[in-house]
Structure formats: C-alpha cells, structure tokens
Amino acid sequence: MKHSVSLILPVISLFFPVYPSAQTVAPDEGEVVNEEVVDEENDDEKDIRENLVIIPGEADDIDIPVPNFIKQNLNHIIFNGADWSKLRTAFTNSNKTPVSIVHIGDSHVQADINTGTTRELLQYDFGNAGRGLISPLKLSGTNEPSDYFFQSRNSWNAVKLMSASWRQTVGFTGASIRPTSSSSEFSIGTSERDDYNPFSSATIFHNGKLNIKSVTNADGNPVHYRTIPSRDYTQIVMASDETKINVQFSSAGDLTVFGASLSGDRPGVFYHAIGNNGATYDTYNRIGNVGAGINPLQPNLVIISLGTNEAFGRLDTRGFTRSIDRLVNNIRTANPEALILLTTPMECHRSVKSTKKVKVRTKRRKGRKAGYRTVTKTTKSYAVNSNISPLRQAILDYGKENGIAVYDWYDVAGGSGASANWISNNLFAPDRVHHTRKGYNLEGRLLYDALMDALRQQSQEVVQAN
C-alpha cells in the first residue's frame, strides 16, 4: 500500500439515485399481491454473514477520497468520562515499549481489510512492532487475511466459532485446530505482497502439551531458537529474523492450537485483529475466557466492533445490553489496565421477499380449452435493517452509563440513509451488509483519524488541567 496518507481530501459528491426501503414489482391487473419481510433468521442471509466473499482488485490503495456524506465533523471518540491519558503516554513511549491494540469483531474484522488499514497507518506513524496475532482460519475452513499464512500438510480436526457444536476447545481467536497424529507440523509467516514484515519470535497459543522438535525457515534451513513454555502458550524465540517458519512438534493427543502472535521484538505498534464471520457478543461470551486469552497480548486498548449480526435476529435490546456487559466485564477482569472502546454498526440492508399470485394462461390441450391457473412468484429485494438503529443506541447508552468510550461508526458513516450513499459510491458489497475493499479502506482510515484525534484531545485536556 502507498503511504502518501496526508493527501486525503473530501470530494464533491454527485447526485445519486436513492434506493427505496423496499423494491416491489407492480402487480398486473387481476393479480393478488402479498409482500412480506423474510424470516428473522433467513438461511441466505446467514450464509452471507458466515461465509464472507470480498470482491478482489477493487482498491488496495488506502489513499482514497472521503465522500462528503461522511460526517467528518463527528469522527471523534466519545469518551464518556474515560481517561485515555495513559494510552497517550503509551503511544508517546512507543519508541521504547510497544503499544498493543486488540480489535475484536465479526466478518467486518475477519477479512482484516479495515483493521489492516488502521494497523498500517498507526505503524507508519509509530513503528511496526510486528504483524501480531494470526489465526488458523483457513485450516478451520473459513477465509483468512491475505498478509499472513497459517498452513499445514497434515490432517487436523478443526472447529470455528460459529460451528453448531464444539467437539474441542475453542480459544479466544474463535478458531481451533487439533492434530490427528502425535507428530505433525505447521507453517506460519507473513506475506511479502506489501511491506517486508519479518519476525524474530512467535508465541503459539494452545491448550495441552506442545513439544517443539525443530524449526526451519523458508529455505528449509534450521533456525536457532529457544522455547519459553507457559500454561496457555509457548513462545519460540529465534536468533534471526524470518518471514516464514516451519514448526515440527509432537503431542500427546490433548493439543489444540488457536493462533500465534508474530513479533519483531522491536518498538512500535501491535494491532491484533480477532474476527469471526457471523459473530455476536453472545458467541464470544460462549468461549468464556476471551479476556484471559488476550491477556498475554498485553493490550493497552481493546476495541469491540459487534452488533451487525444481532440485527438479523429477534430484536432484544435488554438482552443485547446484558451480552455487552458480560463480554466487557470478562475483558476488564483479566485486563484491568486496558481501555475499552465500543463501536456501533452502521446502517445496512436485509432481504425483503415479495410473493405474488399471478394468473397464467394455459395452453389448449386435446379435449381441454385454454384457460388460466394461479401460480406464486417470489422476488427478492432489500430494505434498511431497522434493527441496527436501536442496537446502536443500546451501545451508546451502555457506554455512557458505564464510563466506556464509544466510536459511533453509525453516525460517522452517514447516519440514517447512509447505506444508499454507500451503495451508490461502490462502498457496499452486493449483499449490502459488507463493504467493498474501497469501503473497508475508508472505514479503517476514518477509525485511524478518530484514534489520532483522541490522542491529541486527551493531550490538550491534560495540559489544560495542569
């Protein structure tokens, strides 16, 4: 990606067609029409949200213009009384000690396009401490970000967060793989498609015993290393910088691997992304130990971006608020020094199904006259998902009542009616829930701007207080 990030300017918008909330076909004379919204848990929508497809090749450049329907004047963190001065101090000292950010979310985060943009911009300003957390997403049967790989030639039993049942432990990353033999191997590394991103240590997160036998590099040459075992992870510290390592190991049948954190053992910023297609607050609560899982990452800030998938089920704002509180408390208990930032989901669409009973002329047959019969025709269109707005308000209210900062992405993205503008500007994917690469790059850029503004704002408040 290019780094001329200071040249992002608003552009004059054109007049775009407004998408109606529901598109129906006008009935012909004599037809009986019955329009209905799809069921709360539509199979097609569920498949889209749990099996994300990003159209490739649209925009890899983060230097994109900001359309004028984006509310840049509202692109700020709402602190709700939270003190971010320690985070600013951490960034000030990032040339000595790395800053660690953990971003937890759903399919918007799993693809790591928006979070990847935020990561790149922060690391460009403050230094690249390393790629950070990677997960065996592809091995567990789902899509994986393009800037790393977690692969193996061996057979594994895999479970992902949204699996109906878990036959093995699912760790804090939402991905879980278990080797089917006592001796196995896996390869982890970073892609050289963009920036050179070497690492000199890899922390493997797992349950059970992991006995590392050997480590080789991309050329197959032995790597000098030592291991530092712990209860929930094993750290591999190497004598050289690598972009790929092959880890041979043995286990006693109780090993389950959740992911790895790649570090360059240098100052700067870590921006760890944990994303799972279809995820909700409740599915992360189902894991039960997300807070303890991210603790070794030593987060200074934990960002939680959830709520979109809840909007496709039965609306229950009280239950939603309880789910937020449970995850927040789980993270706070295990990471008392970490700040928490909640983000709201932006407006999106959901399917609308229209059924029409149509009279169709039948052909004349032997012994029978031509006539008419009635058939049912079904058409699919889209409408604004009305559940997003009350869930967004629930997040805002929870943050205000509990002194937790909130990034109101709903408002920044354009508020009510934003989805029509995003569609017209090729920022929404065809499913009208996810974004295009261009849209995710824009989202990541705006979050970066809001974080930088928050750090400057807290600095000014400290100066004024003194």
Side-chain angles (χ1 to χ4, degrees):
M1 292 185 179
K2 299 178 182 178
H3 290 300
S4 54
V5 296
S6 61
L7 300 179
I8 298 191
L9 301 172
V11 296
I12 300 175
S13 66
L14 303 175
F15 291 99
F16 296 105
V18 177
Y19 285 73
S21 60
Q23 301 174 4
T24 59
V25 180
D28 296 328
E29 185 177 353
E31 293 179 354
V32 179
V33 179
N34 175 35
E35 179 181 292
E36 60 178 351
V37 177
V38 295
D39 296 336
E40 290 177 347
E41 192 62 30
N42 179 272
D43 288 340
D44 290 341
E45 288 179 337
K46 188 172 184 291
D47 181 69
I48 287 171
R49 289 180 284 114
E50 294 187 16
N51 298 282
L52 175 64
V53 176
I54 296 292
I55 298 176
E58 291 183 350
D60 287 323
D61 191 350
I62 58 177
D63 299 344
I64 60 175
V66 179
N68 71 347
F69 59 80
I70 297 295
K71 298 181 181 180
Q72 295 194 74
N73 61 314
L74 299 178
N75 193 29
H76 309 291
I77 304 298
I78 304 169
F79 292 109
N80 290 321
D83 182 5
W84 279 38
S85 59
K86 287 185 178 180
L87 182 63
R88 181 185 180 274
T89 300
F91 271 97
T92 300
N93 296 328
S94 61
N95 60 338
K96 300 176 183 177
T97 304
V99 174
S100 177
I101 298 175
V102 176
H103 196 147
I104 301 171
D106 47 32
S107 55
H108 293 305
V109 174
Q110 179 170 329
D112 195 47
I113 302 173
N114 55 351
T115 46
T117 299
T118 308
R119 176 189 302 114
E120 181 176 353
L121 290 168
L122 288 173
Q123 290 183 339
Y124 182 73
D125 287 343
F126 297 99
N128 182 349
R131 174 55 178 83
L133 187 66
I134 65 174
S135 303
L137 293 169
K138 188 171 291 186
L139 287 176
S140 66
T142 185
N143 59 292
E144 195 169 86
S146 61
D147 70 329
Y148 75 76
F149 54 87
F150 202 126
Q151 58 195 27
S152 175
R153 295 173 295 179
N154 301 121
S155 175
W156 299 72
N157 290 322
V159 174
K160 54 187 177 181
L161 182 63
M162 298 306 294
S163 299
S165 61
W166 296 346
R167 59 178 178 268
Q168 62 200 44
T169 304
V170 174
F172 68 98
T173 65
S176 170
I177 56 173
R178 172 169 288 182
T180 58
S181 60
S182 59
S183 296
S184 190
E185 59 83 30
F186 58 78
S187 300
I188 54 178
T190 55
S191 168
E192 296 183 28
R193 182 177 60 87
D194 292 320
D195 296 329
Y196 182 63
N197 204 358
F199 55 95
S200 55
S201 70
T203 301
I204 314 300
F205 296 99
H206 60 86
N207 270 355
K209 188 71 172 178
L210 174 65
N211 298 307
I212 297 176
K213 299 299 184 180
S214 68
V215 178
T216 56
N217 62 17
D219 298 322
N221 298 320
V223 172
H224 295 287
Y225 71 95
R226 62 187 176 93
T227 59
I228 304 175
S230 183
R231 186 185 66 177
D232 300 318
Y233 59 86
T234 298
Q235 185 178 12
I236 303 172
V237 181
M238 300 175 292
S240 57
D241 289 341
E242 306 292 343
T243 56
K244 175 182 179 180
I245 58 172
N246 308 297
V247 180
Q248 288 78 38
F249 64 91
S250 64
S251 61
D254 61 344
L255 176 67
T256 307
V257 178
F258 310 131
S261 181
L262 308 181
S263 170
D265 295 312
R266 52 185 180 263
V269 173
F270 285 113
Y271 199 102
H272 309 283
I274 302 172
N276 290 273
N277 298 343
T280 64
Y281 278 95
D282 274 345
T283 52
Y284 280 107
N285 287 330
R286 182 183 173 195
I287 295 173
N289 63 347
V290 170
I294 66 174
N295 177 266
L297 300 175
Q298 299 179 315
N300 301 95
L301 173 66
V302 179
I303 304 173
I304 306 176
S305 297
L306 295 165
T308 297
N309 289 301
E310 284 91 338
F312 286 85
R314 182 175 63 86
L315 181 62
D316 178 8
T317 54
R318 290 186 178 181
F320 180 67
T321 300
R322 289 193 295 270
S323 297
I324 296 173
D325 189 61
R326 183 180 172 189
L327 183 59
V328 166
N329 287 332
N330 183 278
I331 292 171
R332 270 184 160 174
T333 299
N335 306 273
E337 297 300 315
L339 288 170
I340 295 178
L341 174 65
L342 304 177
T343 77
T344 62
M346 73 166 287
E347 182 183 89
C348 65
H349 285 193
R350 69 178 308 170
S351 299
V352 171
K353 187 187 300 179
S354 298
T355 60
K356 301 194 319 179
K357 292 183 178 179
V358 183
K359 290 183 178 180
V360 180
R361 186 176 179 85
T362 59
K363 295 181 180 180
R364 182 177 178 179
R365 296 180 182 178
K366 186 176 181 180
R368 294 179 60 183
K369 295 181 180 180
Y372 292 88
R373 64 185 179 90
T374 301
V375 298
T376 300
K377 295 179 65 176
T378 302
T379 59
K380 178 181 176 182
S381 58
Y382 294 91
V384 170
N385 189 334
S386 60
N387 287 347
I388 289 286
S389 182
L391 294 180
R392 168 245 186 176
Q393 190 60 51
I395 294 172
L396 291 173
D397 292 343
Y398 180 84
K400 185 176 182 180
E401 293 168 4
N402 293 275
I404 295 175
V406 176
Y407 178 58
D408 192 5
W409 172 235
Y410 178 96
D411 221 1
V412 174
S416 178
S419 54
N421 287 322
W422 277 65
I423 292 168
S424 298
N425 283 266
N426 194 34
L427 299 173
F428 252 1
D431 61 36
R432 305 189 185 191
V433 176
H434 300 102
H435 308 334
T436 59
R437 285 185 179 273
K438 181 180 177 182
Y440 280 125
N441 284 336
L442 174 61
E443 181 182 7
R445 166 74 205 205
L446 290 168
L447 176 57
Y448 159 80
D449 287 341
L451 290 173
M452 293 298 291
D453 173 77
L455 297 177
R456 288 190 294 267
Q457 188 173 337
Q458 285 285 310
S459 174
Q460 293 169 359
E461 290 178 357
V462 171
V463 172
Q464 291 172 358
N466 293 334

